[in-house]
Amino acid sequence: MPSYTAPTKDLQFVLHDLLKVSQSEIPGYADLEADFTSAVLEEAGKITSEVLAPLNVVGDKEGCSLDNGVVRVPNGFQEAFDQVREGGWTGLDMPEEFGGQGLPYVMGTAVGEMFSASNQAFTMYQGLTHGAASAILAHGTDQQKETYLPNMVSCEWTGTMNLTEPHCGTDLGLMRTKAEPQDDGSFKISGQKIFISAGEHEMASNIIHLVLAKIPGGPDGIKGVSLFIVPKFMVNEDGSLGARNGVSCGALEEKMGIHGNSTCVMNYDEATGYLLGTEHKGMRAMFTMMNEARLGVGMQGMAQAEAAYQNALIYAKDRLQGRDVTGVKNPEGPADPLIVHPDIRRNLMDQKSFVEGGRAFLLWGAMMIDKAHRDGDKDADGLISLLTPVIKGFLTDEGYDMTVQAQQVYGGHGYIEEWGMSQFTRDARIAMIYEGANGVQALDLVGRKLAQDGGKHVMAFFDLVKTFLKDNAENEALKADFLDPLKAASKDLQAAGMFFMQNGMKNPNAALSGSYDFMHLFGHVCLGLMWAQMAKAAQEALDGGASDRAFYETKLATGRYYMARRLPATAMHLARINTGADTVMALDAEQF
């Protein structure tokens, strides 16, 4: 069975050596001293490694079952969910007034990585609840907040998001679910939603569904969509639970992965719902949840890569196969361990450099969210809005690829279920699809985010890179291995943006044909920036006489690998972008 060890040391490095969280002026960050964050991460590490990780395979093999409308979760999930609730992990970064612990989002993200890596299917139950609670927190009335948030923050009640219908996925303007207004101000919700993660189960006493629907007479298309709170059980004025609402699970989806999560077809039969936010402005309210979810999904991609890498590394050190071409390394055994071979090293270094760079990227993004929300910083809000499709799309694409590479280390054993490596690949696969498929993320990045606020935010990103390069230009320890590669990659990104500006207006397909490559080009530059900054932090620690020299030297070596072997992909992506749309659009539909 695969194992999982929480990467608390590396998380601490990112929080304190790289981001220097306790020195930040963001409200709440002064409390994030190293001893405090270490205590939080160590406790989270225990429950994820000892409780959740052993249930990962159980959830995969048993899955969920539907029995007369009741969904049964895998053995052990209920007890683990109780432990997670009792530990206060579900409300770590939620407001104290509703029972949360009020910690910054960056801490919720650091802990969330460990939860996702140890058991993604399980973690989705509280993860979706967090997103739904955030939407109510941002757009709900005071009464709605008082009614739902305390129990959602504690996960006594869980939450969902209901967007997709059988005939409409990305194009939500096609939805048919209706919301008929009632005399008492409520609505009767009727329709069917599919792919609803955690849509039905019995681990919580109530489930609060957030449902997109159309009020008759509203505008056509997406402009006529509203968002509604639809509880599984009605909530009485005193907070107790009343009658069952007209919402039920019609079927469970049979999926490639995340078997431990109940992915449901949800039927709404004149279910009572309450408007969340403003009529016909449902997408604005839903995107509070979607943007948070997209960052969470990017985290899932990276987290599955981390878990897969850990196990591939163990196998590479233990499995004896062949001899080192430069000389025997294990003379007492019949062969040397796999890890002596250069191609295995390449494989593992791809994984390690991605995971550590991706972790820094995610936590930097989380810090921007804190800066935007806690400090009211509009520039930080704009920058994270720009980077959200990159975080979601790039980290999930690359995360999936890294689980495949981890599987490859095992050779044939990676294809055999006994070793459990296929689960990481199967579970990671969904992250490229849900919360907006990655092709849509790329279109959003190029079609909307680049030009947002007159291109202000992408220019701010370029300035960020330029400033770092300028401030460290005299640092000879970084120049050749980190600064020069980052500068070249950044120029590739700027050249791609210039191509879109020069060609996109007269031929939109020229920009959209290169959007996926641009998303990956941007992702590599972001990780290149993270690695250059981590290299600086590691070098400063070494120069300052750090006791754990091996850790920082390893960090530098891993960064050099990324800059030398992975970052040059930006040139390939730029070359593809520069070909425009002609070859992409050359065939008529009938010619395929």
Side-chain angles (χ1 to χ4, degrees):
M1 180 186 294
S3 62
Y4 173 71
T5 301
T8 53
K9 187 169 186 176
D10 202 57
L11 285 163
Q12 283 285 88
F13 167 79
V14 175
L15 290 173
H16 298 286
D17 292 69
L18 176 64
L19 300 178
K20 303 184 187 303
V21 289
S22 63
Q23 300 174 32
S24 170
E25 295 182 358
I26 299 172
Y29 271 50
D31 297 330
L32 302 183
E33 296 288 349
D35 288 347
F36 173 74
T37 59
S38 176
V40 173
L41 296 177
E42 289 296 332
E43 284 302 309
K46 287 179 185 176
I47 194 169
T48 54
S49 298
E50 298 171 9
V51 178
L52 301 189
L55 290 174
N56 200 35
V57 171
V58 175
D60 186 53
K61 293 189 180 302
E62 292 186 9
C64 299
S65 61
L66 179 63
D67 181 17
N68 292 324
V70 177
V71 171
R72 312 291 186 192
V73 297
N75 282 318
F77 270 43
Q78 178 70 70
E79 294 77 9
F81 202 61
D82 291 342
Q83 280 189 252
V84 170
R85 281 191 291 222
E86 289 164 8
W89 297 109
T90 61
L92 195 70
D93 56 3
M94 296 300 281
E96 292 179 84
E97 64 181 298
F98 298 114
Q101 297 183 43
L103 292 181
Y105 184 72
V106 72
M107 286 303 295
T109 302
V111 169
E113 181 205 321
M114 293 186 277
F115 274 81
S116 289
S118 63
N119 196 322
Q120 180 176 318
F122 175 93
T123 299
M124 288 170 65
Y125 290 97
Q126 67 260 30
L128 286 156
T129 306
H130 190 286
S134 295
I136 295 173
L137 183 65
H139 301 284
T141 64
D142 289 342
Q143 183 180 2
Q144 287 173 337
K145 293 174 188 177
E146 292 169 9
T147 300
Y148 300 106
L149 288 183
N151 282 311
M152 293 180 75
V153 168
S154 68
C155 269
E156 292 301 320
W157 301 349
T158 57
T160 70
M161 51 196 297
N162 288 238
L163 293 80
T164 308
E165 299 182 10
H167 57 283
C168 82
T170 300
D171 191 354
L172 292 171
L174 298 175
M175 73 173 55
R176 297 172 185 158
T177 300
K178 299 296 183 188
E180 295 281 354
Q182 303 299 298
D183 292 341
D184 63 357
S186 67
F187 292 78
K188 291 296 184 186
I189 313 296
S190 298
Q192 186 180 78
K193 298 289 185 177
I194 62 172
F195 308 156
I196 309 306
S197 301
E200 176 60 39
H201 59 87
E202 299 229 301
M203 293 195 297
S205 57
N206 204 2
I207 302 176
I208 310 304
H209 302 286
L210 296 194
V211 184
L212 285 177
K214 288 186 173 181
I215 301 171
D220 292 333
I222 199 68
K223 293 182 179 179
V225 172
S226 302
L227 184 62
F228 300 88
I229 299 172
V230 186
K232 174 181 173 179
F233 289 101
M234 301 303 294
V235 183
N236 298 322
E237 287 188 13
D238 64 358
S240 62
L241 298 183
R244 176 76 185 246
N245 205 355
V247 53
S248 61
C249 173
L252 287 177
E253 307 285 5
E254 293 188 23
K255 311 183 296 293
M256 175 180 174
I258 55 169
H259 295 154
N261 195 270
S262 54
T263 307
C264 302
V265 175
M266 300 301 298
N267 296 321
Y268 293 87
D269 302 305
E270 294 194 341
T272 299
Y274 306 95
L275 183 68
L276 179 60
T278 308
E279 284 190 11
H280 316 311
K281 301 293 184 183
M283 289 310 298
R284 183 173 64 182
M286 183 60 86
F287 266 103
T288 298
M289 210 159 55
M290 289 286 285
N291 286 332
E292 176 181 312
R294 285 170 177 171
L295 291 172
V297 170
M299 178 176 65
Q300 288 177 356
M302 187 276 291
Q304 291 305 298
E306 164 70 31
Y309 165 70
Q310 287 188 16
N311 287 278
L313 178 61
I314 293 169
Y315 188 83
K317 289 180 176 180
D318 289 346
R319 176 75 167 172
L320 303 182
Q321 290 284 282
R323 290 295 190 187
D324 187 334
V325 295
T326 65
V328 173
K329 294 296 186 293
N330 180 32
E332 304 303 318
D336 290 331
L338 278 172
I339 200 166
V340 305
H341 304 302
D343 192 59
I344 294 292
R345 292 291 187 96
R346 173 202 58 78
N347 187 320
L348 293 171
M349 287 296 283
D350 278 356
Q351 296 173 59
K352 180 176 173 62
S353 63
F354 164 74
V355 165
E356 293 179 16
R359 175 175 295 123
F361 186 25
L362 271 168
L363 292 175
W364 178 51
M367 192 171 178
M368 275 188 273
I369 289 177
D370 279 329
K371 197 170 186 180
H373 292 175
R374 288 173 169 252
D375 227 6
D377 190 321
K378 292 184 179 180
D379 289 337
D381 191 51
L383 186 54
I384 191 58
S385 178
L386 169 72
L387 294 176
T388 292
V390 183
I391 290 172
K392 196 282 184 184
F394 179 72
L395 293 187
T396 58
D397 276 354
E398 290 287 302
Y400 174 80
D401 286 348
M402 294 308 154
T403 66
V404 173
Q405 290 196 204
Q407 200 178 17
Q408 189 75 9
V409 171
Y410 284 68
H413 291 293
Y415 200 66
I416 302 299
E417 290 299 324
E418 174 188 353
W419 290 86
M421 291 302 289
S422 80
Q423 184 184 354
F424 298 121
T425 300
R426 290 184 285 104
D427 286 358
R429 185 65 183 88
I430 185 59
M432 302 161 72
I433 299 171
Y434 61 13
E435 310 305 342
N438 285 356
V440 176
Q441 300 298 323
L443 296 179
D444 177 49
L445 174 64
V446 170
R448 291 179 64 246
K449 297 298 175 61
L450 282 183
Q452 194 169 10
D453 294 329
K456 172 183 178 180
H457 307 301
V458 72
M459 293 308 298
F461 178 82
F462 289 136
D463 286 343
L464 198 72
V465 176
K466 288 177 183 175
T467 299
F468 177 80
L469 292 171
K470 182 179 178 181
D471 289 348
N472 295 280
E474 305 303 317
N475 190 331
E476 291 301 322
L478 297 181
K479 190 176 187 310
D481 292 336
F482 293 95
L483 302 182
D484 290 348
L486 176 59
K487 185 176 183 179
S490 180
K491 285 185 176 180
D492 288 341
L493 184 63
Q494 292 176 65
M498 186 62 67
F499 176 86
F500 293 153
M501 287 179 61
Q502 293 172 344
N503 298 277
M505 290 297 290
K506 59 185 177 184
N507 182 9
N509 282 338
L512 298 184
S513 296
S515 61
Y516 213 92
D517 279 288
F518 186 80
M519 180 177 72
H520 274 256
L521 199 169
F522 209 152
H524 278 298
V525 174
C526 288
L527 261 65
L529 176 61
M530 293 298 101
W531 270 116
Q533 292 178 338
M534 286 192 287
K536 180 182 178 182
Q539 190 62 59
E540 287 175 349
L542 289 169
D543 293 344
S547 57
D548 190 356
R549 297 189 64 82
F551 174 85
Y552 293 106
E553 288 168 353
T554 299
K555 186 66 69 176
L556 283 166
T558 306
R560 290 188 190 101
Y561 179 89
Y562 192 90
M563 305 305 274
R565 301 278 303 212
R566 302 285 294 162
L567 193 57
T570 60
M572 175 192 70
H573 290 301
L574 176 60
R576 289 174 175 173
I577 290 167
N578 282 333
T579 64
D582 291 347
T583 56
V584 174
M585 306 301 292
L587 299 183
D588 293 331
E590 294 75 18
Q591 292 179 281
F592 280 89

